[in-house]
């Protein structure tokens, strides 16, 4: 016994005319465009995002695998955290940061102008009178880390700016062999 199902009548809204070639091509093009937008755009975004993420990782790897001074300016956050306000203009700027559970250090060197040396010293709460002649205040350990070598005597002037934790303590050595272009070496350390 077979049961036959009656055929449903066509809706009065539906056209019973066959679809024209032009209409069919337009519908197919619109369908293709929707598929490309729904799949292609997110896929393209994922590819671009992955490349940016990979490039960012390479930059960070290079930055954190450095084992000595790196040419360039420390970030604003580093300068603010370690209270090393490098004056503008300054030249031959290089820095290196070390962190461990006990102490964090920022090593900075830069050449500046005579006037900007005074600006730098004032911004850390010191002045030229605080600089002691023939005083190398950066210890041998920190010199070894950076590769700095200071002669026992000469145009070296140093000062130590001690502050209560967690504010950083700074050891600063200034080379005044060229008084118009002093060279500043600074080690700022903080205890977290």
């Amino acid at each position: 016994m077979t049961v036959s199902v009656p055929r449903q009548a066509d809706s009065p809204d539906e056209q019973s005319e066959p679809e024209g070639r032009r209409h069919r091509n337009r519908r197919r093009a619109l369908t293709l465009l929707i598929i490309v937008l729904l799949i292609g755009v997110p896929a393209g975004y994922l590819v671009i995002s992955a490349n940016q993420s990979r490039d960012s990782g390479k930059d960070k790897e290079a930055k954190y695998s450095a084992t000595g001074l790196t040419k360039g300016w420390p970030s604003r956050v580093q300068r603010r955290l370690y209270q090393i306000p490098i004056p503008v203009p300054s030249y031959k700027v290089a820095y290196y940061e070390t962190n461990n559970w006990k102490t964090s250090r920022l090593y900075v060197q830069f050449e500046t102008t005579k006037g900007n040396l005074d600006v730098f010293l004032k911004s850390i709460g010191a002045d030229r009178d605080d600089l002691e002649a023939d005083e190398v205040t950066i210890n041998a350990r920190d010199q070894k880390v950076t590769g700095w070598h200071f002669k026992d005597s000469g145009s070296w002037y140093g000062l130590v700016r001690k502050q209560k934790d967690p504010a950083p303590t700074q050891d600063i050595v200034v080379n005044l062999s060229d008084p118009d272009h002093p060279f500043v070496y600074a080690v700022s350390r903080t205890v977290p």
Side-chain angles (χ1 to χ4, degrees), residues 57-107:
K58 287 179 182 177
D59 293 344
K60 287 179 183 175
E61 179 184 1
K63 178 181 176 181
Y64 293 113
S65 66
T67 56
L69 291 171
T70 303
K71 289 182 182 179
W73 290 62
S75 70
R76 288 183 182 182
V77 171
Q78 288 172 314
R79 287 179 278 169
R80 188 173 49 244
L81 177 69
Y82 291 100
Q83 298 178 6
I84 299 288
I86 302 171
V88 176
S90 288
Y91 313 96
K92 301 177 185 173
V93 179
Y95 73 98
Y96 178 57
E97 182 180 20
T98 61
N99 296 302
N100 62 39
W101 64 275
K102 203 172 179 182
T103 305
S104 296
R105 287 181 176 85
L106 179 67
Y107 303 87

Side-chain angles (χ1 to χ4, degrees), residues 13-153:
D13 295 334
E14 290 183 15
Q15 295 177 351
S16 59
E17 296 178 22
E19 184 178 39
R21 180 180 182 144
R22 185 177 217 180
H23 186 263
R24 185 188 69 225
N25 289 342
R26 183 180 289 160
R27 183 178 50 79
R28 286 181 179 172
L30 184 61
T31 303
L32 180 62
L33 177 65
I34 290 171
I35 290 170
V36 166
L37 290 176
L38 288 175
I39 296 172
V41 171
Y45 174 76
L46 286 173
V47 168
I48 291 169
S49 178
N51 284 334
Q52 288 175 343
S53 178
R54 186 181 63 205
D55 292 344
S56 173
K58 287 179 182 177
D59 293 344
K60 287 179 183 175
E61 179 184 1
K63 178 181 176 181
Y64 293 113
S65 66
T67 56
L69 291 171
T70 303
K71 289 182 182 179
W73 290 62
S75 70
R76 288 183 182 182
V77 171
Q78 288 172 314
R79 287 179 278 169
R80 188 173 49 244
L81 177 69
Y82 291 100
Q83 298 178 6
I84 299 288
I86 302 171
V88 176
S90 288
Y91 313 96
K92 301 177 185 173
V93 179
Y95 73 98
Y96 178 57
E97 182 180 20
T98 61
N99 296 302
N100 62 39
W101 64 275
K102 203 172 179 182
T103 305
S104 296
R105 287 181 176 85
L106 179 67
Y107 303 87
V108 178
Q109 71 178 35
F110 59 92
E111 180 182 354
T112 192
T113 62
K114 178 173 27 176
N116 276 344
L117 175 61
D118 295 327
V119 169
F120 169 73
L121 292 172
K122 184 177 180 183
S123 66
I124 64 165
D127 59 27
R128 283 194 191 235
D129 294 336
D130 295 325
L131 292 172
E132 296 181 33
D134 296 326
E135 189 68 32
V136 176
T137 55
I138 297 175
N139 65 37
R141 178 205 174 278
D142 291 334
Q143 289 180 41
K144 184 177 179 182
V145 167
T146 57
W148 292 334
H149 302 287
F150 303 110
K151 297 178 183 174
D152 293 332
S153 62

